Amino acid sequence: MDPCPFIRLTIGNLALKVPLAAKTTSSVVHPSSSPCFCKIKLKNFPPQTAAIPYIPLETTQFPEIQTLAATFHLSSSDIERLASRSIFASKPCLKILIYTGRGGAACGVHSGRLLAKVSVPLDLSGTQSKPCVFHNGWISVGKGAGKSSSSAQFHLNVKAEPDPRFVFQFDGEPECSPQVVQIQGNIRQPVFTCKFSFRHTGDRTQRSRSLPTETSVPRSWLNSFGSERERPGKERKGWSITVHDLSGSPVAMASIVTPFVASPGTDRVSRSNPGSWLILRPGDCTWRPWGRLEAWRERGGATDGLGYRFELIPDGSSGAGIVLAESTISSHKGGKFSIELGSSSSSSPTGGVNRSRSRRGGSGGSGGGASPANSPRGGSGDYGYGLWPWNVYKGFVMSASVEGEGKCSKPCVEVSVQHVSCMEDAAAYVALSAAIDLSMDACRLFNQRMRKELCHESLS
């Protein structure tokens, strides 16, 4: 498999110093007693927001604890669009607007007061093959920048590094058992096939005839990670999707282990009682759990959203997991499911927050510090990753597109090359992307009709 070239543009190590002379300026709120934040803008990308810490005036070296404020992921086409010149713009630039005050907005008006603007030119040629640092250090900002010692100082690090990825796309909706192709430039090559099926409602055996008997899902795994809750007419259960390689061998599977059940008195799956999928990989003539995905219907704002939480399951932990992603995707517009560790905690374009952390879940076991044998492996970057106790999980891991309710969904999946060492690795992420896509249907309000491919009765 040949990867597609991508660039990871990171902005981090933000800090602000304001000299004593600036404290007497009545028109500026001094950042030592007022919060500071910035908006980071790159053409053709949604802006990102990050907090800016204030550090003492006497500081000459940047603190050892470094932070990542924002990340932009650029494909070859993104780089071409940025590099294309027009009568209105020359070279691509990263723009940073620094504000004092709080970053919230009321009636579309931000409460922060603009303190300064910073522009960093970007020459992205060659960055697909080698890293490049565009700026690392202090910049004089505000009135009289660079002309006197009374100007404020802003610290930042801007760099780009290669981040090649494998790109896959479903040729149809996951519930229609489509092929999955790998995309490399203009080439689309089939690499997997998918089989959507149901388990019998009366037992936990796998119904799909494409699976050999010796690779059926062990009852103990399903008992450990899920539960059958009998509420006829108010639950969705038994869905399973198996990923096969081109030889027909099963290489990954996603299966509902906790039914998606409407909360009492409502037609929605609540956060307090989510449904869940188990993502499995073959091993020792059976299926072994690799990850668990929980999903629910999030209520809030103008529209509802699909809430999700994904955790890796260390081998033999029997329920304990390491949470790698937790966020929300708009049920109407759709968005992206993503796993990226060390990224900014600011809102994503999909309206969610991606929080990478650890937790203890399930009925037993320990989260532990050891890395799972089938987990994503190391990445690039140096922004505070040492703080992550399982520091083998770094940088961009994967993303998958998710369409909103009622829309034709053919998920596109991107997986970092650093996290794929064999076809089974890639297949696990493909199965995960199918599970999050099908969760959009599983979390539909129960007063809405499901398409026939998702109804067990239509296949009986």
Side-chain angles (χ1 to χ4, degrees):
M1 298 190 298
D2 293 324
C4 294
F6 275 78
I7 289 175
R8 185 170 184 259
L9 181 67
T10 55
I11 300 91
N13 303 352
L14 303 185
L16 187 65
K17 289 195 300 185
V18 179
L20 294 173
K23 292 186 178 182
T24 59
T25 305
S26 59
S27 62
V28 176
V29 179
H30 191 253
S32 62
S33 59
S34 177
C36 295
F37 69 97
C38 67
K39 289 184 180 179
I40 304 171
K41 297 183 177 182
L42 184 66
K43 182 182 177 183
N44 302 324
F45 288 87
Q48 300 185 38
T49 303
I52 306 176
Y54 173 79
I55 65 175
L57 296 172
E58 59 273 13
T59 303
T60 56
Q61 292 185 340
F62 196 81
E64 291 184 4
I65 298 178
Q66 303 176 349
T67 57
L68 178 61
T71 304
F72 296 94
H73 302 283
L74 286 67
S75 64
S76 295
S77 57
D78 293 328
I79 296 172
E80 290 175 3
R81 283 195 296 268
L82 281 172
S84 61
R85 300 190 180 188
S86 68
I87 59 175
F88 302 105
S90 53
K91 292 182 178 180
C93 286
L94 181 76
K95 297 182 179 179
I96 302 176
L97 282 66
I98 305 170
Y99 295 87
T100 59
R102 301 195 178 276
C107 301
V109 179
H110 288 270
S111 59
R113 179 177 297 174
L114 182 64
L115 177 65
K117 297 180 181 179
V118 174
S119 182
V120 180
L122 303 176
D123 183 1
L124 298 173
S125 59
T127 53
Q128 291 175 322
S129 58
K130 61 180 180 179
C132 179
V133 178
F134 299 108
H135 183 87
N136 184 34
W138 295 95
I139 300 177
S140 296
V141 296
K143 293 183 179 180
K147 297 180 180 179
S148 68
S149 59
S150 62
S151 60
Q153 298 286 311
F154 179 61
H155 189 283
L156 78 160
N157 175 285
V158 180
K159 67 179 181 180
E161 54 191 346
D163 189 15
R165 302 175 185 180
F166 295 111
V167 181
F168 307 96
Q169 185 165 28
F170 289 72
D171 261 355
E173 297 178 286
E175 60 267 32
C176 297
S177 300
Q179 274 191 330
V180 178
V181 299
Q182 183 189 356
I183 299 175
Q184 214 285 326
N186 295 323
I187 302 174
R188 297 171 62 89
Q189 180 179 1
V191 289
F192 301 115
T193 59
C194 294
K195 175 63 178 177
F196 179 80
S197 58
F198 292 89
R199 292 195 308 276
H200 287 297
T201 56
D203 59 41
R204 293 178 180 273
T205 59
Q206 184 66 23
R207 181 176 177 181
S208 172
R209 289 175 291 180
S210 61
L211 280 176
T213 305
E214 66 269 20
T215 58
S216 59
V217 182
R219 185 185 301 266
S220 59
W221 285 125
L222 295 173
N223 287 334
S224 298
F225 291 97
S227 62
E228 289 285 349
R229 298 177 293 199
E230 297 295 338
R231 296 185 184 182
K234 285 290 187 179
E235 65 176 11
R236 294 165 184 146
K237 64 179 182 179
W239 299 359
S240 180
I241 188 161
T242 308
V243 181
H244 301 79
D245 62 21
L246 295 183
S247 70
S249 300
V251 286
M253 182 169 66
S255 182
I256 291 180
V257 290
T258 302
F260 289 78
V261 178
S263 295
T266 73
D267 285 308
R268 69 174 58 233
V269 180
S270 69
R271 184 188 185 104
S272 60
N273 195 25
S276 68
W277 297 77
L278 203 58
I279 315 300
L280 303 117
R281 296 177 53 150
D284 298 328
C285 297
T286 186
W287 288 109
R288 295 198 174 275
W290 172 76
R292 177 170 49 200
L293 174 71
E294 294 179 340
W296 59 88
R297 183 86 175 204
E298 194 81 77
R299 187 198 299 268
T303 59
D304 285 354
L306 173 71
Y308 65 82
R309 180 188 300 110
F310 174 70
E311 61 184 16
L312 281 174
I313 301 170
D315 290 345
S317 62
S318 183
I322 303 168
V323 177
L324 298 188
E326 183 175 358
S327 190
T328 304
I329 299 173
S330 169
S331 297
H332 175 64
K333 296 180 180 179
K336 274 195 175 184
F337 167 86
S338 62
I339 302 174
E340 182 174 0
L341 307 181
S343 63
S344 170
S345 61
S346 60
S347 295
S348 67
T350 61
V353 176
N354 190 27
R355 294 178 285 272
S356 302
R357 56 185 176 84
S358 64
R359 75 162 190 167
R360 296 179 184 270
S363 57
S366 171
S371 118
N374 294 328
S375 66
R377 283 166 289 280
S380 58
D382 54 9
Y383 293 110
Y385 293 140
L387 302 178
W388 177 249
W390 296 274
N391 58 10
V392 291
Y393 311 116
K394 300 175 182 176
F396 173 82
V397 178
M398 65 89 70
S399 69
S401 61
V402 182
E403 293 293 339
E405 289 181 347
K407 298 178 182 178
C408 180
S409 182
K410 299 179 180 180
C412 184
V413 187
E414 298 174 5
V415 186
S416 174
V417 168
Q418 300 176 77
H419 305 305
V420 176
S421 60
C422 59
M423 292 293 287
E424 287 80 3
D425 288 343
Y429 293 110
V430 169
L432 173 58
S433 65
I436 191 68
D437 185 86
L438 288 167
S439 294
M440 187 67 77
D441 293 294
C443 290
R444 284 178 72 109
L445 297 178
F446 277 81
N447 59 7
Q448 299 178 357
R449 296 185 63 181
M450 300 288 288
R451 59 182 299 168
K452 63 180 182 179
E453 289 86 356
L454 295 169
C455 297
H456 186 275
E457 293 76 12
S458 66
L459 299 181
S460 300

